[in-house]
Amino acid sequence: MQEKNRTLGEFIIENQEDFQYSSGELSRIFNSIKLASKVVSYKVNKAGLVDIVGAVGAKNIQGEDQQKLDVYANEIFIQTLTNREIVCGIASEENDDFITIKGKDNGNNNKYVILIDPLDGSSNIDVNVSVGTIFSVYRRISPVGNPVQLEDFLQPGTAQVAAGYVIYGTSTMLVYTTGQGVNGFTLNPAIGTFYLSHPKMKCPKDGLIYSVNEGNYIHFPQGVKDYIKYCQQEEEDRPYSSRYIGSLASDIHRNLIKGGVYLYPTSCKAVKGKLRLLYECNPMAFIIEQAGGKASDGVNRVLEIIPTSLHERTAFFSGSYNMVEKIEDCIHKAYLAA
Ligand code: P6P
């Protein structure tokens, strides 16, 4: 069968061996995410037409205004995963604590937990800019049958069994990895089917795009300032282009395809960084590394950070391998010069 004609469902069936140790549960998780992303895609594309944009007046644990679509997306993903009884626990950006999903006969026998940012970049909703869903899947550590523990969620990114993102943009795309490379699927909204549109995605080792909110420049660490100045120098391959959508999935996706680097450093406004380690940085880092790129907190490999809390934040530099190395080099040199 032509690679590009394959549907997501056919691809999952043909690659069952990717889902190691899974008795079909991991493929069922993807089927659930597939369904939820179609429902959210429909609502996101109707956002301007129905009373669903705008904040609900509530705030999430991050202290951010919850947009109605944030709340809606969170409910949809939780419901589809709960209905299919395929995970034993869910942690979401929108929920203070993790949720335990009781399986049949009230047991906790399902083997996987999922961490999710159901609608990342939601501040873009009202201005019709793309938003995304980001998710990360782990095998539980606590024994089946027992209640799900926080330890099941606080695993390093290297333990992920799957990770992915959905972009609700000019088209709706699902990009994921199970550790066997990265593949992208585009939704045909006319028939509600995801088709393999980007097989075996690879991130160019170099790029000519840097993505950062330069409005925070004066607050950045010196090494990051040095790198941004490096990007802006008149040289053979520079200045680079500056592209920043303000929606992580979209910025990462563009850099993954074209080459480039995304930066969210620490600053006096975000002393530990802004992005959340568990359901933004780790899934993106897994995908980027699987595509041949690099993901760092400026010093360490993001996937090796040992989490200590569900909503912890980290500095995040991710994209083309050589560009992230250059950032680490600038940070190291500034450290030595301090
Ligand atoms: P800033 C969205 O809130 C998000 O978590 C990412 O999707 C995005 O890259 C970043 O924050 C934007 O943050 O501070 O530049 O608006």
Side-chain angles (χ1 to χ4, degrees):
M1 178 187 291
Q2 276 295 325
E3 265 211 334
K4 284 208 169 184
N5 293 341
R6 274 188 286 177
T7 67
L8 174 57
E10 290 160 348
F11 186 86
I12 288 172
I13 291 167
E14 288 167 23
N15 293 278
Q16 269 303 335
E17 71 281 358
D18 288 358
F19 299 144
Q20 292 170 19
Y21 325 115
S22 165
S23 52
E25 283 164 319
L26 207 50
S27 46
R28 282 166 50 214
I29 288 174
F30 274 92
N31 286 330
S32 177
I33 288 169
K34 184 170 66 169
L35 171 63
S37 56
K38 289 184 211 175
V39 174
V40 172
S41 174
Y42 177 78
K43 284 292 183 189
V44 164
N45 287 302
K46 293 277 178 296
L49 301 173
V50 296
D51 175 32
I52 199 158
V53 298
V56 290
K59 290 189 182 295
N60 62 20
I61 188 171
Q62 327 296 339
E64 296 165 344
D65 289 339
Q66 279 193 316
Q67 301 284 341
K68 284 181 182 176
L69 268 175
D70 265 351
V71 176
Y72 177 82
N74 195 40
E75 288 166 0
I76 290 295
F77 276 95
I78 289 172
Q79 203 54 55
T80 50
L81 288 162
T82 302
N83 289 350
R84 301 198 176 188
E85 297 183 351
I86 38 186
V87 296
C88 58
I90 303 173
S92 168
E93 184 204 34
E94 300 300 334
N95 297 81
D96 299 358
D97 298 314
F98 66 84
I99 300 166
T100 296
I101 310 293
K102 293 274 187 201
K104 292 184 179 56
D105 55 62
N106 227 14
N108 283 295
N109 296 325
N110 294 328
K111 296 195 290 285
Y112 297 95
V113 297
I114 189 165
L115 299 99
I116 191 164
D117 184 350
L119 207 64
D120 178 75
S122 54
S123 58
N124 289 312
I125 294 169
D126 289 341
V127 293
N128 201 13
V129 170
S130 57
V131 292
T133 297
I134 308 169
F135 63 90
S136 176
V137 184
Y138 293 84
R139 288 173 63 81
R140 69 185 291 177
I141 293 175
S142 58
V144 292
N146 289 346
V148 187
Q149 303 295 326
L150 184 57
E151 65 174 334
D152 292 314
F153 298 92
L154 299 185
Q155 301 184 53
T158 47
Q160 291 175 95
V161 292
Y165 59 83
V166 183
I167 298 183
Y168 310 101
T170 47
S171 62
T172 294
M173 274 197 74
L174 169 63
V175 176
Y176 80 84
T177 184
T178 57
Q180 314 293 324
V182 179
N183 291 282
F185 300 81
T186 301
L187 178 67
N188 177 340
I191 57 176
T193 301
F194 280 98
Y195 285 93
L196 179 62
S197 53
H198 296 68
K200 303 186 180 70
M201 297 177 79
K202 284 296 176 196
C203 182
K205 289 294 182 200
D206 283 297
L208 302 175
I209 296 171
Y210 70 105
S211 310
V212 65
N213 182 342
E214 296 198 50
N216 298 324
Y217 177 85
I218 54 165
H219 302 305
F220 288 156
Q222 187 55 48
V224 175
K225 287 181 179 175
D226 295 342
Y227 179 71
I228 291 172
K229 287 304 169 205
Y230 169 85
C231 293
Q232 296 168 344
Q233 284 168 348
E234 285 285 350
E235 293 291 347
E236 189 183 339
D237 63 343
R238 282 165 283 147
Y240 294 153
S241 294
S242 175
R243 293 285 184 276
Y244 191 67
I245 300 168
S247 186
L248 181 64
S250 301
D251 278 316
I252 294 289
H253 186 70
R254 181 203 51 249
N255 293 347
L256 170 55
I257 290 175
K258 295 190 166 186
V261 69
Y262 173 94
L263 304 86
Y264 210 103
T266 58
S267 69
C268 60
K269 294 196 319 184
V271 290
K272 291 187 182 299
K274 175 184 180 185
L275 300 187
R276 294 73 163 185
L277 173 62
L278 290 178
Y279 42 79
E280 288 178 326
C281 300
N282 271 340
M284 287 310 192
F286 190 16
I287 288 167
I288 281 293
E289 286 200 2
Q290 281 290 310
K294 190 177 174 72
S296 166
D297 65 1
V299 177
N300 309 294
R301 183 184 178 211
V302 165
L303 291 181
E304 292 177 354
I305 297 173
I306 305 300
T308 54
S309 66
L310 270 187
H311 301 289
E312 76 178 69
R313 301 171 191 265
T314 179
F316 190 57
F317 306 97
S318 177
S320 293
Y321 194 94
N322 297 340
M323 297 178 87
V324 176
E325 284 226 313
K326 180 63 181 175
I327 293 173
E328 290 179 327
D329 182 50
C330 289
I331 291 172
H332 184 60
K333 284 192 172 116
Y335 169 76
L336 295 177

